[in-house]
Amino acid sequence: MDRNLKNSILLFTILLITFSHCYSQTSHKEANLDSLFLKAQHSKAFNGNVLISQNGKIIYEKAFGQADASGTLALNKKYRFHIGSIAKEFNAVGIMMLKEQGKLKLDDPVSRFLPELPSWASKIKIIHLLQYTSGLPQIKWSEVNQDSDNMTELKKTESLDFEPGTKYDYNNNNVFLQRRIIEKITQLPFNVFVVKKLLRPIGIKDGLVDPDEKEKQFAKSFNNKGKQDVIKYNISGWTALNLEDFYKWSEAVNSFKLITKESTAEIFIPFSEGNQTGLGEGSVENGKVFSHIHDGAAFNYQALLISNPDFTIILMSNNKQNNLKAISDSIKSILEDKPYNEIKVPVRN
């Protein structure tokens, strides 16, 4: 037999064996993931959508359960979910974009942009808002029905809870003022800014900001008794995404599409170890996003993003069971071909 022909056959055989092995591994992982989620859906331990990528390639993307409390409408991959506090990434990235454009500095006092606030605003720097160290009081949720109500409450606030920059307090007033600063600088409503300057430039076409119950393909959240939530926004600016768009956002952060790696690294720096920033928790090492972890909850929605150079896990639920961390741990075990735990049936409230 011709030597070149022998070499070609050998190469083809090696490639075929390699492909078969990879396919077998992928198929085995998918079977385990299906088993994990189908059992979790059956036991009502998970109702929602999931996307998993490994080595930069999506290997699993599916929907499990119902889109609302009726039980008659099945979820699919196109449904948008509220992602809770993960939506705070949009104002944090927006702040860093404006910093890169020279329109603000992180050491600028809040009073530079919002002079209508009391004198304490001159003590709070923008970096304090990003690191949740402003000393602002918690939002009075029972008295606030819209942005103007909250601004009125802040104008009436006589003193801060602590000196800015001295203590960590995870607090939505930090988020509220970031959004107002973005509005003041850009002269755009924050919700419009998110769509025009953050979502559209990275190819997100189906993202929604502050959607209501009438929106099509928007998953409605419900509790364990089958009661659907009434969606109410005490303060505005909450983005809802589907799996594809959520993954686009994660990849945009990882590839520095909207802000530089230097800005991304800076925004990941917490006040102290274990505290969150505007991007949740994470780090940039050797010019790459080494870790990006953020969780969020609102009403009976819950979401989790875990991303690193090896894999990305996105979980979104419209029936919160407070078990997404346990689910992600099982997913990681499956990706590593290790034994994994089934998702336990949650304790019903």
Side-chain angles (χ1 to χ4, degrees):
M1 185 181 292
D2 181 80
R3 185 176 179 181
N4 290 333
L5 180 59
K6 283 183 179 180
N7 289 339
S8 297
I9 292 172
L10 178 61
L11 178 60
F12 176 78
T13 303
I14 292 171
L15 290 173
L16 184 61
I17 292 171
T18 302
F19 174 78
S20 298
H21 177 68
C22 292
Y23 178 80
S24 176
Q25 280 190 319
T26 303
S27 179
H28 179 65
K29 288 176 183 178
E30 183 173 358
N32 283 338
L33 289 167
D34 274 340
S35 177
L36 177 75
F37 280 102
L38 288 170
K39 288 178 181 178
Q41 178 192 351
H42 181 71
S43 66
K44 298 186 178 179
F46 181 75
N47 189 99
N49 289 6
V50 54
L51 182 148
I52 303 164
S53 73
Q54 193 168 27
N55 300 321
K57 180 181 178 182
I58 295 174
I59 64 168
Y60 195 81
E61 185 181 6
K62 293 189 179 182
F64 298 90
Q66 59 197 65
D68 60 20
S70 71
T72 61
L73 193 61
L75 283 168
N76 62 52
K77 294 183 293 185
K78 294 296 184 181
Y79 268 89
R80 281 75 60 95
F81 290 70
H82 270 304
I83 55 176
S85 290
I86 305 175
K88 297 171 185 176
E89 295 192 2
F90 298 104
N91 43 268
V93 169
I95 289 288
M96 299 307 287
M97 287 175 66
L98 296 176
K99 173 183 177 290
E100 290 180 4
Q101 294 167 14
K103 296 178 180 178
L104 61 79
K105 298 177 182 177
L106 297 191
D107 283 337
D108 282 340
V110 169
S111 58
R112 177 186 170 190
F113 304 100
L114 302 172
E116 65 271 28
L117 291 174
S119 59
W120 46 254
S122 63
K123 298 180 180 180
I124 300 175
K125 298 177 181 180
I126 293 176
I127 187 63
H128 297 146
L129 300 179
L130 290 170
Q131 293 183 336
Y132 302 104
T133 61
S134 65
L136 286 162
Q138 295 284 343
I139 291 176
K140 297 179 180 179
W141 298 110
S142 61
E143 300 175 27
V144 169
N145 293 302
Q146 55 190 349
D147 289 343
S148 59
D149 294 339
N150 197 50
M151 186 58 81
T152 297
E153 288 294 329
L154 285 173
K155 288 178 181 178
K156 292 191 298 184
T157 299
E158 296 181 358
S159 61
L160 301 174
D161 288 351
F162 54 85
E163 192 68 18
T166 65
K167 183 179 175 182
Y168 175 85
D169 180 34
Y170 191 76
N171 182 322
N172 280 300
N173 260 327
N174 295 279
V175 176
F176 178 79
L177 289 187
Q178 288 176 56
R179 294 173 180 174
R180 303 293 77 76
I181 289 170
I182 288 171
E183 289 180 334
K184 182 62 71 74
I185 293 173
T186 65
Q187 294 298 298
L188 290 172
F190 177 72
N191 293 11
V192 174
F193 173 84
V194 169
V195 174
K196 291 184 67 174
K197 303 298 183 180
L198 299 177
L199 303 187
R200 293 291 185 267
I202 61 173
I204 294 177
K205 299 178 180 179
D206 296 319
L208 303 170
V209 188
D210 296 339
D212 59 28
E213 292 94 335
K214 298 176 183 177
E215 194 71 49
K216 293 181 179 179
Q217 290 199 311
F218 169 51
K220 315 303 189 300
S221 60
F222 55 92
N223 65 16
N224 290 334
K225 296 179 181 178
K227 183 179 179 182
Q228 192 162 298
D229 293 324
V230 176
I231 304 297
K232 175 187 175 184
Y233 303 103
N234 301 75
I235 62 172
S236 66
W238 304 102
T239 301
L241 299 173
N242 61 28
L243 287 173
E244 179 184 0
D245 288 341
F246 201 160
Y247 185 62
K248 284 181 180 178
W249 174 256
S250 174
E251 288 296 284
V253 172
N254 292 343
S255 59
F256 315 116
K257 278 189 177 180
L258 292 169
I259 56 175
T260 65
K261 61 177 178 289
E262 291 79 14
S263 291
T264 305
E266 188 173 18
I267 203 176
F268 269 132
I269 299 171
F271 171 67
S272 58
E273 188 175 354
N275 296 148
Q276 290 200 10
T277 70
L279 281 180
E281 298 179 62
S283 63
V284 175
E285 298 181 19
N286 299 319
K288 295 182 179 181
V289 173
F290 180 75
S291 172
H292 182 194
I293 302 171
H294 211 168
D295 65 312
F299 310 105
N300 274 287
Y301 296 100
Q302 192 170 18
L304 177 65
L305 167 67
I306 301 176
S307 186
N308 58 49
D310 296 325
F311 61 79
T312 294
I313 297 171
I314 293 172
L315 295 166
M316 297 190 290
S317 175
N318 56 331
N319 177 226
K320 181 173 64 176
Q321 301 297 334
N322 294 312
N323 60 1
L324 298 190
K325 172 63 167 57
I327 294 175
S328 70
D329 287 342
S330 293
I331 293 171
K332 283 185 270 187
S333 294
I334 291 172
L335 295 180
E336 295 167 0
D337 291 315
K338 296 178 180 178
Y340 64 93
N341 295 322
E342 302 288 355
I343 306 307
K344 296 180 180 179
V345 178
V347 177
R348 301 299 176 192
N349 3 12

